[in-house]
Amino acid sequence: MADALILDKPRSPRRPAARRSNFELYSWLFMRISGLALIILVLGHLFIMNILDGGVHRINWGFVAGRWASPFWQFWDLAMLWLAEIHGGNGLRTIIDDYARKDSTRFWLKILLYVSMVLILAVGTMVIFTFDPEMPAS
C-alpha cells in the first residue's frame, strides 16, 4: 500500500529559475511619476502660452526667441519633450506587447517605435539647443 503512494520523478528536467528583472515594475512606476510631472509641465505650458498676457495672439517668432533665450524655458520645454516621448513610447511598447501576436511582428514594431523615438528626441533636443534667437524672422 505504501508503494502505491510513491510518485515517480517527472520526466522533464527541472529548469533553473529564470532571472527576473524589475523592468516592468520600474516601467509602471515611471508611467505614474512622469504622468504627474507631465500634468504640471503641460498645464503650466498651456496656461503661460494661451491665457497669460493676451493669449495666443502674442505668440510669434519674437516670443519664442525671447522664451528660449532663457535656460529655464529651454529646460522646461526639454523636460516636457523627453517625458512626453518616453511616457508615450512606454505606453506604445505595452500596447505592442499586448496586441502583437507573432514575435517577429512584435520585434519589428518595437524597432520602429524605438527608432522613431530616438529621431524625435534627437531633432527636438537639437532644435531647443541650437535655436538662434538672433536669427531674423522671415
Side-chain angles (χ1 to χ4, degrees):
M1 183 76 171
D3 291 331
L5 296 177
I6 296 175
L7 298 175
D8 287 339
K9 291 184 178 176
R11 293 183 185 144
S12 61
R14 270 186 80 94
R15 292 183 295 176
R19 286 188 67 197
R20 300 190 78 158
S21 75
N22 287 328
F23 177 76
E24 289 299 330
L25 172 66
Y26 296 139
S27 174
W28 180 87
L29 192 59
F30 170 78
M31 291 297 275
R32 274 52 185 179
I33 294 169
S34 66
L36 289 174
L38 278 168
I39 288 172
I40 294 166
L41 289 169
V42 170
L43 288 179
H45 175 82
L46 290 172
F47 181 74
I48 291 164
M49 300 297 277
N50 297 325
I51 296 174
L52 287 183
D53 297 333
V56 296
H57 302 294
R58 71 186 164 112
I59 298 175
N60 58 20
W61 176 268
F63 177 79
V64 174
R67 180 179 163 105
W68 278 357
S70 166
F72 174 80
W73 291 115
Q74 283 182 329
F75 176 76
W76 183 288
D77 289 346
L78 186 71
M80 199 165 42
L81 169 71
W82 276 76
L83 282 175
E85 185 66 32
I86 296 171
H87 182 94
N90 190 31
L92 283 175
R93 178 193 61 82
T94 303
I95 290 170
I96 290 169
D97 282 341
D98 286 347
Y99 290 102
R101 295 187 188 266
K102 293 198 295 188
D103 288 339
S104 61
T105 304
R106 188 177 304 117
F107 172 79
W108 287 111
L109 286 174
K110 283 185 180 180
I111 292 294
L112 184 64
L113 172 66
Y114 297 149
V115 167
S116 67
M117 285 176 64
V118 168
L119 287 175
I120 290 170
L121 285 174
V123 169
T125 302
M126 184 183 74
V127 165
I128 290 172
F129 285 123
T130 62
F131 181 79
D132 183 11
E134 303 298 321
M135 188 168 90
S138 54

